Short mmCIF file of all heavy atoms in Angstrom, two decimals:
data_model
loop_
_atom_site.label_atom_id
_atom_site.label_comp_id
_atom_site.label_asym_id
_atom_site.label_seq_id
_atom_site.Cartn_x
_atom_site.Cartn_y
_atom_site.Cartn_z
N VAL S 23 73.57 50.54 124.21
CA VAL S 23 74.78 49.76 124.48
C VAL S 23 75.80 50.64 125.21
O VAL S 23 76.15 51.72 124.72
CB VAL S 23 75.42 49.24 123.15
CG1 VAL S 23 76.52 48.24 123.45
CG2 VAL S 23 74.36 48.63 122.24
N GLY S 24 76.27 50.19 126.36
CA GLY S 24 77.25 50.96 127.12
C GLY S 24 76.59 52.13 127.84
O GLY S 24 75.37 52.31 127.81
N GLY S 25 77.42 52.93 128.51
CA GLY S 25 76.92 54.02 129.36
C GLY S 25 76.04 55.01 128.61
O GLY S 25 74.89 55.28 129.00
N ALA S 26 76.55 55.56 127.51
CA ALA S 26 75.79 56.58 126.76
C ALA S 26 74.50 55.97 126.21
O ALA S 26 73.43 56.58 126.30
CB ALA S 26 76.64 57.14 125.62
N ASN S 29 72.02 55.65 128.89
CA ASN S 29 71.51 56.98 129.29
C ASN S 29 70.44 57.47 128.32
O ASN S 29 69.44 58.07 128.73
CB ASN S 29 72.65 58.02 129.31
CG ASN S 29 73.57 57.81 130.50
OD1 ASN S 29 73.23 57.07 131.42
ND2 ASN S 29 74.74 58.45 130.47
N ASN S 48 75.14 46.39 128.94
CA ASN S 48 76.39 47.05 129.33
C ASN S 48 77.28 46.02 130.01
O ASN S 48 76.79 45.01 130.52
CB ASN S 48 76.07 48.20 130.32
CG ASN S 48 77.15 49.26 130.34
OD1 ASN S 48 78.28 49.02 129.94
ND2 ASN S 48 76.80 50.45 130.82
N THR S 49 78.57 46.28 130.01
CA THR S 49 79.48 45.40 130.74
C THR S 49 79.55 45.83 132.21
O THR S 49 80.19 45.18 133.01
CB THR S 49 80.92 45.46 130.14
OG1 THR S 49 81.33 46.83 130.13
CG2 THR S 49 80.96 44.90 128.74
N GLY S 74 82.74 46.53 133.84
CA GLY S 74 83.03 47.43 132.72
C GLY S 74 84.17 46.90 131.87
O GLY S 74 84.73 45.83 132.15
N SER S 75 84.49 47.67 130.84
CA SER S 75 85.49 47.19 129.89
C SER S 75 86.84 47.86 130.08
O SER S 75 87.78 47.57 129.35
CB SER S 75 85.00 47.50 128.47
OG SER S 75 85.16 48.89 128.23
N GLY S 76 86.93 48.79 131.02
CA GLY S 76 88.19 49.52 131.20
C GLY S 76 88.50 50.39 129.99
O GLY S 76 89.65 50.70 129.71
N GLY S 77 87.49 50.79 129.27
CA GLY S 77 87.70 51.69 128.12
C GLY S 77 88.28 50.99 126.91
O GLY S 77 88.70 51.65 125.95
N GLY S 108 77.44 55.44 122.56
CA GLY S 108 78.42 56.53 122.47
C GLY S 108 79.72 55.88 122.05
O GLY S 108 80.20 54.97 122.73
N LEU S 109 80.28 56.29 120.92
CA LEU S 109 81.54 55.68 120.48
C LEU S 109 82.71 56.36 121.20
O LEU S 109 82.67 57.54 121.50
CB LEU S 109 81.70 55.79 118.96
CG LEU S 109 80.68 55.03 118.12
CD1 LEU S 109 81.03 55.15 116.64
CD2 LEU S 109 80.61 53.56 118.51
N GLY S 110 83.78 55.60 121.40
CA GLY S 110 84.98 56.16 122.03
C GLY S 110 85.40 55.37 123.25
O GLY S 110 86.57 55.28 123.57
N GLY S 111 84.43 54.78 123.97
CA GLY S 111 84.76 53.97 125.14
C GLY S 111 84.93 52.51 124.73
O GLY S 111 85.17 52.21 123.56
N GLY S 112 84.79 51.61 125.70
CA GLY S 112 85.02 50.20 125.40
C GLY S 112 83.77 49.44 124.99
O GLY S 112 83.76 48.74 123.97
N THR S 113 82.70 49.59 125.77
CA THR S 113 81.54 48.73 125.56
C THR S 113 80.76 49.11 124.30
O THR S 113 80.55 48.28 123.41
CB THR S 113 80.61 48.78 126.79
OG1 THR S 113 81.40 48.47 127.95
CG2 THR S 113 79.47 47.79 126.67
N GLY S 114 80.32 50.37 124.21
CA GLY S 114 79.53 50.79 123.05
C GLY S 114 80.30 50.59 121.76
O GLY S 114 79.77 50.08 120.77
N THR S 115 81.59 50.94 121.78
CA THR S 115 82.41 50.86 120.57
C THR S 115 82.65 49.41 120.15
O THR S 115 82.54 49.07 118.97
CB THR S 115 83.78 51.54 120.81
OG1 THR S 115 83.55 52.80 121.41
CG2 THR S 115 84.57 51.71 119.53
N THR S 137 76.93 58.51 119.05
CA THR S 137 77.58 59.81 119.23
C THR S 137 79.08 59.61 119.05
O THR S 137 79.61 58.52 119.27
CB THR S 137 77.30 60.42 120.61
OG1 THR S 137 77.82 59.54 121.62
CG2 THR S 137 75.81 60.62 120.85
N PRO S 139 82.94 61.30 120.08
CA PRO S 139 83.40 62.03 121.27
C PRO S 139 83.68 63.52 121.04
O PRO S 139 83.91 63.96 119.92
CB PRO S 139 84.71 61.32 121.64
CG PRO S 139 84.89 60.20 120.71
CD PRO S 139 83.87 60.26 119.64
N PHE S 140 83.64 64.26 122.14
CA PHE S 140 84.07 65.67 122.12
C PHE S 140 85.56 65.72 121.83
O PHE S 140 86.29 64.79 122.18
CB PHE S 140 83.83 66.30 123.50
CG PHE S 140 82.40 66.55 123.83
CD1 PHE S 140 81.73 65.73 124.73
CD2 PHE S 140 81.72 67.61 123.26
CE1 PHE S 140 80.40 65.97 125.05
CE2 PHE S 140 80.39 67.85 123.58
CZ PHE S 140 79.73 67.03 124.46
N GLU S 143 88.03 65.11 124.68
CA GLU S 143 88.20 63.75 125.24
C GLU S 143 89.50 63.09 124.76
O GLU S 143 89.85 62.02 125.25
CB GLU S 143 87.00 62.87 124.86
CG GLU S 143 85.71 63.33 125.54
CD GLU S 143 84.57 62.37 125.28
OE1 GLU S 143 84.57 61.28 125.86
OE2 GLU S 143 83.67 62.72 124.50
N ARG S 147 90.36 58.31 122.44
CA ARG S 147 88.91 58.09 122.32
C ARG S 147 88.47 58.32 120.87
O ARG S 147 87.64 57.60 120.34
CB ARG S 147 88.13 59.06 123.23
CG ARG S 147 88.23 58.66 124.66
CD ARG S 147 86.92 58.76 125.39
NE ARG S 147 87.03 57.88 126.53
CZ ARG S 147 86.05 57.20 127.08
NH1 ARG S 147 84.83 57.32 126.62
NH2 ARG S 147 86.25 56.40 128.09
N ASN S 170 79.33 64.73 119.19
CA ASN S 170 79.03 65.50 120.41
C ASN S 170 79.53 66.94 120.27
O ASN S 170 78.90 67.87 120.76
CB ASN S 170 79.68 64.83 121.63
CG ASN S 170 78.80 63.73 122.20
OD1 ASN S 170 77.58 63.75 122.03
ND2 ASN S 170 79.40 62.76 122.88
N PHE S 187 75.35 66.58 127.10
CA PHE S 187 75.01 65.16 126.95
C PHE S 187 73.49 64.98 126.93
O PHE S 187 72.96 64.22 126.12
CB PHE S 187 75.59 64.33 128.09
CG PHE S 187 77.02 63.90 127.88
CD1 PHE S 187 77.80 63.44 128.93
CD2 PHE S 187 77.60 63.93 126.61
CE1 PHE S 187 79.12 63.04 128.73
CE2 PHE S 187 78.91 63.54 126.41
CZ PHE S 187 79.67 63.09 127.48
N ALA S 190 72.27 65.92 123.60
CA ALA S 190 72.61 64.90 122.60
C ALA S 190 71.70 63.69 122.77
O ALA S 190 71.20 63.13 121.79
CB ALA S 190 74.08 64.49 122.75
N ASN S 191 71.46 63.30 124.01
CA ASN S 191 70.59 62.14 124.27
C ASN S 191 69.19 62.40 123.75
O ASN S 191 68.55 61.51 123.20
CB ASN S 191 70.54 61.82 125.77
CG ASN S 191 71.89 61.42 126.30
OD1 ASN S 191 72.82 61.22 125.53
ND2 ASN S 191 72.01 61.31 127.61
N1 LIG D 1 75.42 61.89 124.22
C1 LIG D 1 76.03 61.31 125.24
N2 LIG D 1 77.27 60.91 125.08
C2 LIG D 1 77.86 60.32 126.13
C3 LIG D 1 77.22 60.10 127.39
N3 LIG D 1 78.09 59.46 128.22
C4 LIG D 1 79.22 59.29 127.51
N4 LIG D 1 79.09 59.80 126.26
C5 LIG D 1 80.01 59.73 125.12
O1 LIG D 1 80.15 58.35 124.80
C6 LIG D 1 81.50 57.95 124.82
C7 LIG D 1 81.58 56.58 125.43
O2 LIG D 1 81.26 56.65 126.81
P1 LIG D 1 80.43 55.52 127.52
O3 LIG D 1 79.17 55.27 126.80
O4 LIG D 1 80.31 55.90 128.95
O5 LIG D 1 81.39 54.29 127.34
P2 LIG D 1 81.00 52.77 127.30
O6 LIG D 1 80.51 52.41 125.97
O7 LIG D 1 80.12 52.46 128.49
O8 LIG D 1 82.40 52.06 127.47
P3 LIG D 1 83.24 51.71 128.80
O9 LIG D 1 82.63 52.45 129.95
O10 LIG D 1 84.60 52.15 128.45
O11 LIG D 1 83.08 50.24 128.91
C8 LIG D 1 82.21 59.03 125.61
O12 LIG D 1 83.51 59.17 125.15
C9 LIG D 1 81.39 60.27 125.38
O13 LIG D 1 81.80 60.95 124.21
C10 LIG D 1 75.88 60.53 127.50
O14 LIG D 1 75.21 60.39 128.52
N5 LIG D 1 75.33 61.12 126.39
#
Side-chain angles (χ1 to χ4, degrees):
V23 190
N29 287 347
N48 204 340
T49 55
S75 75
L109 295 184
T113 306
T115 312
T137 62
F140 288 105
E143 293 186 73
R147 286 223 158 212
N170 275 335
F187 275 163
N191 296 351

